[in-house]
Amino acid sequence: MPIRQITIIGTGLIGGSFGLALRKKGFPGKIIGCDKADVLRLAKKVKAIDKGVTDPVKACQGSNLVVLATPVGTIIDLIERLAPHVSADALVTDVGSTKSEVVSRAQKAFGRLAPDKFLAGHPMAGKESSGVDFADADLFRAAVWFLTPQPGQNIRRGLAGDYVSWLKKIGAEVVEMDLAEHDQLCAWISHVPQFLSTALAASLVDQYGENAPVLQSGGRALREMTRIASSPYSMWRDVALTNKQFIADALLKLEQRLAHIRENLDNRQLEEEFNLAHKLKSDSSPRSPGVTEKIKKTI
């Protein structure tokens, strides 16, 4: 079944980029955006959407694909709000960076129809700056797009199959994963790096003040380490709340590793830590084939 009309709720960086990417790759249908009025005006101006509607329920009317591109907490609320109103032949999906609580809410909201009505997803793409001003049609090119199907859900046919085909057309590498595996993996590869950057930037402010020229004097390494520290709390609050245990477990292991390094600054065990870290670099060159074979089922 082909997708004729798409509603994107949340036309910021991810939602806006998705609309631009679809248009760039020739999506022939209509794209409806849902957000605040001023955001919708800008999204329409940059041609990420064809029409803007501020009410989520009204925005979904006539669409057979609804993409929830808001912070995770809002995604959870929207699922419950929209479930009674989306078309009988519509598929709802999301782009949130945690999946277990999102899918749990979808199963409650859609009941036995949940595998036909909701497909959880998460593109591993973004920027440190948010908003449709920074939307990019190529944002998802060569990026992993995780999908976490429910038991018995076939994502190779019907609307789900057409959706997957469009994800591939915009350049994403579609990867199928279990819910818990996804949330644990993302705690390590996405959430902990954010909190590490936040902690380092906050510590620098404590040590040198917010107006000290530490980034200029620190060079490229410090700029790269603190670049994502400017990411909005509104998004990461929901991530922390909905993936608390996996993030806490990962942070504890990292704390223990840092403590080990601190306690061995003057002996050869520090060299062992460097040697161990170098193995990650040698085994994970960017975009090399097979990097994620142990954790993925590519569609």
Side-chain angles (χ1 to χ4, degrees):
M1 179 185 298
I3 297 170
R4 304 179 306 275
Q5 180 172 300
I6 298 174
T7 293
I8 302 173
I9 300 182
T11 55
L13 173 65
I14 299 299
S17 295
F18 187 54
L20 290 173
L22 288 170
R23 282 292 179 237
K24 183 175 181 179
K25 294 302 179 180
F27 175 68
K30 196 171 185 179
I31 301 177
I32 309 298
C34 181
D35 213 308
K36 297 178 181 178
D38 57 334
V39 177
L40 291 173
R41 282 193 293 270
L42 183 54
K44 189 173 181 180
K45 182 179 179 181
V46 301
K47 299 184 179 179
I49 61 173
D50 299 312
K51 179 182 178 182
V53 180
T54 57
D55 180 79
V57 173
K58 292 180 180 178
C60 293
Q61 293 177 0
S63 291
N64 53 345
L65 179 68
V66 177
V67 182
L68 307 180
T70 65
V72 174
T74 305
I75 288 171
I76 291 172
D77 292 339
L78 281 168
I79 290 171
E80 187 170 354
R81 180 178 176 185
L82 295 176
H85 303 286
V86 292
S87 301
D89 63 346
L91 177 70
V92 180
T93 186
D94 80 305
V95 299
S97 61
T98 66
K99 298 270 71 83
S100 293
E101 290 199 27
V102 168
V103 172
S104 177
R105 182 61 60 91
Q107 290 172 337
K108 291 178 181 177
F110 290 108
R112 62 181 179 81
L113 296 177
D116 298 320
K117 300 295 295 180
F118 186 82
L119 175 60
H122 174 208
M124 296 298 292
K127 300 178 181 180
E128 65 272 20
S129 300
S130 60
V132 71
D133 316 63
F134 301 95
D136 180 359
D138 295 319
L139 184 66
F140 308 110
R141 188 158 57 87
V144 170
W145 195 302
F146 287 120
L147 296 177
T148 57
Q150 300 170 61
Q153 186 171 27
N154 189 335
I155 62 175
R156 293 168 178 80
R157 66 182 184 187
L159 282 173
D162 196 37
Y163 176 54
V164 168
S165 71
W166 277 108
L167 294 182
K168 292 179 179 179
K169 286 177 185 177
I170 66 174
E173 180 184 6
V174 181
V175 174
E176 184 178 341
M177 236 186 160
D178 172 78
L179 288 174
E181 289 177 343
H182 168 276
D183 286 359
Q184 183 181 47
L185 175 67
C186 287
W188 278 104
I189 68 174
S190 176
H191 308 161
V192 164
Q194 173 62 53
F195 295 130
L196 181 60
S197 179
T198 298
L200 177 58
S203 296
L204 288 169
V205 172
D206 279 346
Q207 184 71 26
Y208 295 105
E210 59 185 79
N211 295 317
V214 291
L215 290 182
Q216 293 88 333
S217 57
R220 179 179 175 182
L222 183 62
R223 288 193 295 273
E224 290 181 351
M225 284 287 291
T226 56
R227 178 178 57 83
I228 59 174
S230 60
S231 296
Y233 165 71
S234 58
M235 179 179 74
W236 289 100
R237 173 198 61 209
D238 292 349
V239 171
L241 288 172
T242 56
N243 204 26
K244 181 178 178 180
Q245 192 57 58
F246 282 131
I247 294 172
D249 290 345
L251 285 173
L252 178 59
K253 291 178 180 178
L254 181 59
E255 289 168 13
Q256 292 170 339
R257 180 70 68 177
L258 288 170
H260 179 71
I261 290 174
R262 185 189 69 237
E263 294 164 1
N264 292 282
L265 292 172
D266 58 354
N267 62 60
R268 294 295 295 271
Q269 288 195 44
L270 180 61
E271 182 183 12
E272 293 177 8
E273 291 298 299
F274 271 78
N275 290 337
L276 183 60
H278 292 166
K279 292 181 179 180
L280 177 66
K281 181 178 181 181
S282 64
D283 289 344
S284 59
S285 54
R287 308 258 52 90
S288 61
V291 166
T292 55
E293 285 302 323
K294 292 182 180 179
I295 60 171
K296 78 180 185 180
K297 181 180 180 184
T298 305
I299 300 170

